[in-house]
mmCIF file of all heavy atoms in Angstrom:
data_model
loop_
_atom_site.group_PDB
_atom_site.id
_atom_site.type_symbol
_atom_site.label_atom_id
_atom_site.label_comp_id
_atom_site.label_asym_id
_atom_site.label_seq_id
_atom_site.Cartn_x
_atom_site.Cartn_y
_atom_site.Cartn_z
ATOM 1 N N ALA A 2 127.269 -38.607 37.086
ATOM 2 C CA ALA A 2 125.845 -38.958 37.120
ATOM 3 C C ALA A 2 125.123 -38.011 38.047
ATOM 4 O O ALA A 2 125.744 -37.322 38.868
ATOM 5 C CB ALA A 2 125.666 -40.405 37.591
ATOM 6 N N THR A 3 123.818 -37.961 37.919
ATOM 7 C CA THR A 3 123.018 -37.144 38.827
ATOM 8 C C THR A 3 122.913 -37.814 40.197
ATOM 9 O O THR A 3 123.089 -37.167 41.223
ATOM 10 C CB THR A 3 121.613 -36.924 38.261
ATOM 11 O OG1 THR A 3 121.705 -36.328 36.974
ATOM 12 C CG2 THR A 3 120.798 -36.018 39.172
ATOM 13 N N TYR A 4 122.618 -39.129 40.194
ATOM 14 C CA TYR A 4 122.245 -39.798 41.441
ATOM 15 C C TYR A 4 123.347 -40.722 41.957
ATOM 16 O O TYR A 4 124.170 -41.244 41.198
ATOM 17 C CB TYR A 4 120.978 -40.613 41.214
ATOM 18 C CG TYR A 4 119.838 -39.791 40.672
ATOM 19 C CD1 TYR A 4 119.249 -40.112 39.441
ATOM 20 C CD2 TYR A 4 119.359 -38.690 41.368
ATOM 21 C CE1 TYR A 4 118.205 -39.347 38.939
ATOM 22 C CE2 TYR A 4 118.317 -37.921 40.871
ATOM 23 C CZ TYR A 4 117.741 -38.253 39.655
ATOM 24 O OH TYR A 4 116.729 -37.498 39.146
ATOM 25 N N PRO A 5 123.354 -40.972 43.279
ATOM 26 C CA PRO A 5 124.281 -41.942 43.856
ATOM 27 C C PRO A 5 123.827 -43.361 43.538
ATOM 28 O O PRO A 5 122.868 -43.573 42.782
ATOM 29 C CB PRO A 5 124.193 -41.645 45.360
ATOM 30 C CG PRO A 5 122.783 -41.157 45.542
ATOM 31 C CD PRO A 5 122.474 -40.359 44.298
ATOM 32 N N VAL A 6 124.464 -44.330 44.135
ATOM 33 C CA VAL A 6 124.179 -45.734 43.815
ATOM 34 C C VAL A 6 122.739 -46.113 44.150
ATOM 35 O O VAL A 6 122.184 -47.049 43.556
ATOM 36 C CB VAL A 6 125.179 -46.651 44.556
ATOM 37 C CG1 VAL A 6 124.946 -46.618 46.050
ATOM 38 C CG2 VAL A 6 125.117 -48.066 44.022
ATOM 39 N N GLU A 7 122.090 -45.389 45.056
ATOM 40 C CA GLU A 7 120.688 -45.690 45.365
ATOM 41 C C GLU A 7 119.755 -45.403 44.196
ATOM 42 O O GLU A 7 118.652 -45.926 44.137
ATOM 43 C CB GLU A 7 120.252 -44.890 46.595
ATOM 44 C CG GLU A 7 120.855 -45.353 47.908
ATOM 45 C CD GLU A 7 122.230 -44.771 48.168
ATOM 46 O OE1 GLU A 7 122.768 -44.041 47.285
ATOM 47 O OE2 GLU A 7 122.773 -45.018 49.257
ATOM 48 N N GLY A 8 120.160 -44.556 43.279
ATOM 49 C CA GLY A 8 119.365 -44.273 42.083
ATOM 50 C C GLY A 8 119.543 -45.392 41.060
ATOM 51 O O GLY A 8 120.667 -45.773 40.728
ATOM 52 N N ALA A 9 118.436 -45.912 40.557
ATOM 53 C CA ALA A 9 118.508 -47.062 39.653
ATOM 54 C C ALA A 9 119.363 -46.768 38.420
ATOM 55 O O ALA A 9 120.102 -47.635 37.949
ATOM 56 C CB ALA A 9 117.102 -47.483 39.233
ATOM 57 N N SER A 10 119.271 -45.543 37.891
ATOM 58 C CA SER A 10 120.024 -45.232 36.673
ATOM 59 C C SER A 10 121.525 -45.314 36.926
ATOM 60 O O SER A 10 122.276 -45.840 36.085
ATOM 61 C CB SER A 10 119.640 -43.850 36.150
ATOM 62 O OG SER A 10 119.822 -42.849 37.139
ATOM 63 N N SER A 11 121.978 -44.825 38.058
ATOM 64 C CA SER A 11 123.411 -44.902 38.376
ATOM 65 C C SER A 11 123.835 -46.338 38.685
ATOM 66 O O SER A 11 124.889 -46.807 38.237
ATOM 67 C CB SER A 11 123.737 -44.010 39.566
ATOM 68 O OG SER A 11 123.574 -42.644 39.238
ATOM 69 N N ARG A 12 123.030 -47.018 39.444
ATOM 70 C CA ARG A 12 123.386 -48.372 39.872
ATOM 71 C C ARG A 12 123.408 -49.362 38.707
ATOM 72 O O ARG A 12 124.324 -50.197 38.595
ATOM 73 C CB ARG A 12 122.373 -48.845 40.940
ATOM 74 C CG ARG A 12 122.649 -50.189 41.538
ATOM 75 C CD ARG A 12 121.695 -50.476 42.688
ATOM 76 N NE ARG A 12 120.318 -50.637 42.279
ATOM 77 C CZ ARG A 12 119.379 -49.706 42.397
ATOM 78 N NH1 ARG A 12 119.664 -48.518 42.895
ATOM 79 N NH2 ARG A 12 118.121 -49.934 42.020
ATOM 80 N N LEU A 13 122.431 -49.258 37.830
ATOM 81 C CA LEU A 13 122.272 -50.253 36.772
ATOM 82 C C LEU A 13 122.913 -49.842 35.456
ATOM 83 O O LEU A 13 123.171 -50.698 34.610
ATOM 84 C CB LEU A 13 120.783 -50.547 36.564
ATOM 85 C CG LEU A 13 120.083 -51.121 37.801
ATOM 86 C CD1 LEU A 13 118.597 -51.243 37.560
ATOM 87 C CD2 LEU A 13 120.675 -52.474 38.178
ATOM 88 N N ARG A 14 123.193 -48.542 35.284
ATOM 89 C CA ARG A 14 123.854 -48.099 34.053
ATOM 90 C C ARG A 14 125.346 -47.832 34.257
ATOM 91 O O ARG A 14 126.090 -47.678 33.286
ATOM 92 C CB ARG A 14 123.192 -46.819 33.529
ATOM 93 C CG ARG A 14 121.714 -46.913 33.240
ATOM 94 C CD ARG A 14 121.364 -47.813 32.101
ATOM 95 N NE ARG A 14 121.797 -47.309 30.802
ATOM 96 C CZ ARG A 14 121.585 -47.937 29.643
ATOM 97 N NH1 ARG A 14 120.971 -49.113 29.645
ATOM 98 N NH2 ARG A 14 122.002 -47.425 28.513
ATOM 99 N N ILE A 15 125.782 -47.762 35.538
ATOM 100 C CA ILE A 15 127.188 -47.461 35.788
ATOM 101 C C ILE A 15 127.817 -48.442 36.779
ATOM 102 O O ILE A 15 128.649 -49.263 36.415
ATOM 103 C CB ILE A 15 127.376 -46.015 36.339
ATOM 104 C CG1 ILE A 15 126.845 -44.982 35.344
ATOM 105 C CG2 ILE A 15 128.853 -45.739 36.621
ATOM 106 C CD1 ILE A 15 126.922 -43.560 35.845
ATOM 107 N N THR A 16 127.446 -48.341 38.050
ATOM 108 C CA THR A 16 128.267 -48.969 39.089
ATOM 109 C C THR A 16 128.317 -50.484 39.005
ATOM 110 O O THR A 16 129.329 -51.084 39.371
ATOM 111 C CB THR A 16 127.786 -48.535 40.495
ATOM 112 O OG1 THR A 16 126.425 -48.929 40.683
ATOM 113 C CG2 THR A 16 127.925 -47.031 40.655
ATOM 114 N N GLN A 17 127.233 -51.141 38.532
ATOM 115 C CA GLN A 17 127.317 -52.591 38.462
ATOM 116 C C GLN A 17 128.303 -53.066 37.383
ATOM 117 O O GLN A 17 128.763 -54.194 37.408
ATOM 118 C CB GLN A 17 125.935 -53.201 38.225
ATOM 119 C CG GLN A 17 125.334 -53.020 36.857
ATOM 120 C CD GLN A 17 124.131 -53.916 36.622
ATOM 121 O OE1 GLN A 17 123.903 -54.922 37.308
ATOM 122 N NE2 GLN A 17 123.312 -53.565 35.637
ATOM 123 N N PHE A 18 128.665 -52.156 36.441
ATOM 124 C CA PHE A 18 129.634 -52.505 35.401
ATOM 125 C C PHE A 18 131.087 -52.295 35.853
ATOM 126 O O PHE A 18 132.007 -52.788 35.187
ATOM 127 C CB PHE A 18 129.377 -51.658 34.145
ATOM 128 C CG PHE A 18 128.144 -52.012 33.392
ATOM 129 C CD1 PHE A 18 126.949 -51.382 33.659
ATOM 130 C CD2 PHE A 18 128.170 -52.988 32.400
ATOM 131 C CE1 PHE A 18 125.803 -51.707 32.965
ATOM 132 C CE2 PHE A 18 127.036 -53.312 31.689
ATOM 133 C CZ PHE A 18 125.840 -52.668 31.967
ATOM 134 N N LEU A 19 131.311 -51.540 36.907
ATOM 135 C CA LEU A 19 132.669 -51.125 37.246
ATOM 136 C C LEU A 19 133.624 -52.277 37.528
ATOM 137 O O LEU A 19 134.780 -52.247 37.083
ATOM 138 C CB LEU A 19 132.633 -50.143 38.424
ATOM 139 C CG LEU A 19 131.885 -48.815 38.159
ATOM 140 C CD1 LEU A 19 132.068 -47.882 39.344
ATOM 141 C CD2 LEU A 19 132.339 -48.150 36.876
ATOM 142 N N PHE A 31 133.606 -42.913 39.947
ATOM 143 C CA PHE A 31 132.177 -42.589 39.908
ATOM 144 C C PHE A 31 131.919 -41.331 40.712
ATOM 145 O O PHE A 31 132.212 -41.281 41.906
ATOM 146 C CB PHE A 31 131.384 -43.773 40.462
ATOM 147 C CG PHE A 31 129.895 -43.505 40.597
ATOM 148 C CD1 PHE A 31 129.155 -43.072 39.520
ATOM 149 C CD2 PHE A 31 129.265 -43.727 41.808
ATOM 150 C CE1 PHE A 31 127.788 -42.833 39.653
ATOM 151 C CE2 PHE A 31 127.898 -43.500 41.949
ATOM 152 C CZ PHE A 31 127.165 -43.057 40.856
ATOM 153 N N ARG A 32 131.359 -40.289 40.059
ATOM 154 C CA ARG A 32 131.123 -39.006 40.721
ATOM 155 C C ARG A 32 129.661 -38.589 40.531
ATOM 156 O O ARG A 32 129.306 -37.935 39.545
ATOM 157 C CB ARG A 32 132.055 -37.942 40.144
ATOM 158 C CG ARG A 32 133.535 -38.195 40.378
ATOM 159 C CD ARG A 32 133.923 -38.026 41.826
ATOM 160 N NE ARG A 32 133.733 -36.642 42.287
ATOM 161 C CZ ARG A 32 133.932 -36.243 43.530
ATOM 162 N NH1 ARG A 32 134.301 -37.122 44.462
ATOM 163 N NH2 ARG A 32 133.760 -34.984 43.861
ATOM 164 N N PRO A 33 128.767 -38.958 41.455
ATOM 165 C CA PRO A 33 127.384 -38.483 41.380
ATOM 166 C C PRO A 33 127.279 -37.048 41.867
ATOM 167 O O PRO A 33 128.049 -36.614 42.727
ATOM 168 C CB PRO A 33 126.641 -39.446 42.305
ATOM 169 C CG PRO A 33 127.660 -39.844 43.322
ATOM 170 C CD PRO A 33 128.985 -39.874 42.590
ATOM 171 N N LEU A 34 126.309 -36.317 41.317
ATOM 172 C CA LEU A 34 126.036 -34.960 41.801
ATOM 173 C C LEU A 34 125.453 -35.010 43.217
ATOM 174 O O LEU A 34 125.903 -34.295 44.101
ATOM 175 C CB LEU A 34 125.060 -34.255 40.851
ATOM 176 C CG LEU A 34 124.553 -32.878 41.301
ATOM 177 C CD1 LEU A 34 125.686 -31.865 41.344
ATOM 178 C CD2 LEU A 34 123.440 -32.387 40.358
ATOM 179 N N PHE A 35 124.448 -35.853 43.425
ATOM 180 C CA PHE A 35 123.832 -35.994 44.747
ATOM 181 C C PHE A 35 124.594 -37.013 45.564
ATOM 182 O O PHE A 35 124.994 -38.065 45.046
ATOM 183 C CB PHE A 35 122.388 -36.487 44.618
ATOM 184 C CG PHE A 35 121.424 -35.517 44.001
ATOM 185 C CD1 PHE A 35 121.827 -34.269 43.543
ATOM 186 C CD2 PHE A 35 120.091 -35.869 43.851
ATOM 187 C CE1 PHE A 35 120.933 -33.391 42.962
ATOM 188 C CE2 PHE A 35 119.183 -34.987 43.273
ATOM 189 C CZ PHE A 35 119.598 -33.753 42.821
ATOM 190 N N ASP A 36 124.778 -36.742 46.846
ATOM 191 C CA ASP A 36 125.241 -37.808 47.735
ATOM 192 C C ASP A 36 124.031 -38.561 48.264
ATOM 193 O O ASP A 36 122.872 -38.181 48.019
ATOM 194 C CB ASP A 36 126.107 -37.251 48.861
ATOM 195 C CG ASP A 36 125.408 -36.182 49.694
ATOM 196 O OD1 ASP A 36 124.160 -36.202 49.786
ATOM 197 O OD2 ASP A 36 126.098 -35.301 50.254
ATOM 198 N N SER A 37 124.272 -39.639 48.982
ATOM 199 C CA SER A 37 123.171 -40.507 49.415
ATOM 200 C C SER A 37 122.188 -39.794 50.314
ATOM 201 O O SER A 37 120.963 -39.945 50.186
ATOM 202 C CB SER A 37 123.732 -41.748 50.117
ATOM 203 O OG SER A 37 124.497 -42.523 49.226
ATOM 204 N N ALA A 38 122.701 -38.976 51.241
ATOM 205 C CA ALA A 38 121.813 -38.275 52.185
ATOM 206 C C ALA A 38 120.915 -37.275 51.457
ATOM 207 O O ALA A 38 119.710 -37.193 51.733
ATOM 208 C CB ALA A 38 122.651 -37.573 53.243
ATOM 209 N N TYR A 40 120.049 -37.345 48.289
ATOM 210 C CA TYR A 40 119.132 -38.089 47.402
ATOM 211 C C TYR A 40 117.872 -38.524 48.162
ATOM 212 O O TYR A 40 116.772 -38.512 47.639
ATOM 213 C CB TYR A 40 119.852 -39.299 46.817
ATOM 214 C CG TYR A 40 118.986 -40.175 45.938
ATOM 215 C CD1 TYR A 40 118.562 -39.722 44.689
ATOM 216 C CD2 TYR A 40 118.599 -41.440 46.345
ATOM 217 C CE1 TYR A 40 117.774 -40.525 43.867
ATOM 218 C CE2 TYR A 40 117.821 -42.249 45.530
ATOM 219 C CZ TYR A 40 117.411 -41.779 44.303
ATOM 220 O OH TYR A 40 116.615 -42.584 43.495
ATOM 221 N N LYS A 41 118.050 -38.917 49.432
ATOM 222 C CA LYS A 41 116.906 -39.387 50.229
ATOM 223 C C LYS A 41 115.930 -38.275 50.551
ATOM 224 O O LYS A 41 114.736 -38.523 50.761
ATOM 225 C CB LYS A 41 117.412 -40.024 51.521
ATOM 226 C CG LYS A 41 118.172 -41.323 51.311
ATOM 227 C CD LYS A 41 118.710 -41.863 52.619
ATOM 228 C CE LYS A 41 119.495 -43.152 52.407
ATOM 229 N NZ LYS A 41 120.076 -43.649 53.682
ATOM 230 N N TRP A 238 111.714 -48.903 49.776
ATOM 231 C CA TRP A 238 112.747 -49.606 49.012
ATOM 232 C C TRP A 238 114.056 -49.530 49.790
ATOM 233 O O TRP A 238 114.357 -48.539 50.455
ATOM 234 C CB TRP A 238 112.919 -48.928 47.654
ATOM 235 C CG TRP A 238 113.976 -49.542 46.804
ATOM 236 C CD1 TRP A 238 113.834 -50.583 45.930
ATOM 237 C CD2 TRP A 238 115.355 -49.147 46.731
ATOM 238 N NE1 TRP A 238 115.034 -50.863 45.321
ATOM 239 C CE2 TRP A 238 116.000 -50.003 45.802
ATOM 240 C CE3 TRP A 238 116.129 -48.164 47.369
ATOM 241 C CZ2 TRP A 238 117.341 -49.902 45.479
ATOM 242 C CZ3 TRP A 238 117.474 -48.056 47.074
ATOM 243 C CH2 TRP A 238 118.069 -48.919 46.134
ATOM 244 N N ALA A 239 114.872 -50.590 49.702
ATOM 245 C CA ALA A 239 116.180 -50.613 50.354
ATOM 246 C C ALA A 239 117.168 -51.317 49.450
ATOM 247 O O ALA A 239 116.878 -52.405 48.938
ATOM 248 C CB ALA A 239 116.115 -51.299 51.713
ATOM 249 N N LEU A 240 118.317 -50.722 49.256
ATOM 250 C CA LEU A 240 119.322 -51.270 48.360
ATOM 251 C C LEU A 240 119.748 -52.675 48.763
ATOM 252 O O LEU A 240 119.884 -53.559 47.910
ATOM 253 C CB LEU A 240 120.546 -50.344 48.335
ATOM 254 C CG LEU A 240 121.742 -50.801 47.492
ATOM 255 C CD1 LEU A 240 121.350 -50.904 46.029
ATOM 256 C CD2 LEU A 240 122.913 -49.800 47.658
ATOM 257 N N GLU A 241 119.918 -52.905 50.065
ATOM 258 C CA GLU A 241 120.472 -54.169 50.521
ATOM 259 C C GLU A 241 119.526 -55.352 50.311
ATOM 260 O O GLU A 241 119.947 -56.510 50.349
ATOM 261 C CB GLU A 241 120.865 -54.092 52.002
ATOM 262 C CG GLU A 241 119.740 -53.822 52.963
ATOM 263 C CD GLU A 241 119.454 -52.339 53.168
ATOM 264 O OE1 GLU A 241 119.975 -51.515 52.377
ATOM 265 O OE2 GLU A 241 118.714 -52.004 54.110
ATOM 266 N N GLU A 243 117.194 -55.382 47.574
ATOM 267 C CA GLU A 243 116.535 -55.196 46.283
ATOM 268 C C GLU A 243 116.232 -56.523 45.595
ATOM 269 O O GLU A 243 115.082 -56.801 45.220
ATOM 270 C CB GLU A 243 117.401 -54.337 45.362
ATOM 271 C CG GLU A 243 116.764 -54.082 44.004
ATOM 272 C CD GLU A 243 117.605 -53.236 43.099
ATOM 273 O OE1 GLU A 243 118.866 -53.294 43.193
ATOM 274 O OE2 GLU A 243 117.041 -52.495 42.269
#
Side-chain angles (χ1 to χ4, degrees):
T3 303
Y4 305 120
V6 68
E7 289 84 356
S10 56
S11 293
R12 183 173 67 259
L13 299 174
R14 303 293 292 181
I15 301 177
T16 60
Q17 72 167 341
F18 288 92
L19 297 187
F31 174 54
R32 296 290 296 177
L34 174 65
F35 292 1
D36 56 27
S37 296
Y40 178 70
K41 292 177 182 178
W238 179 88
L240 177 62
E241 63 273 13
E243 181 180 31

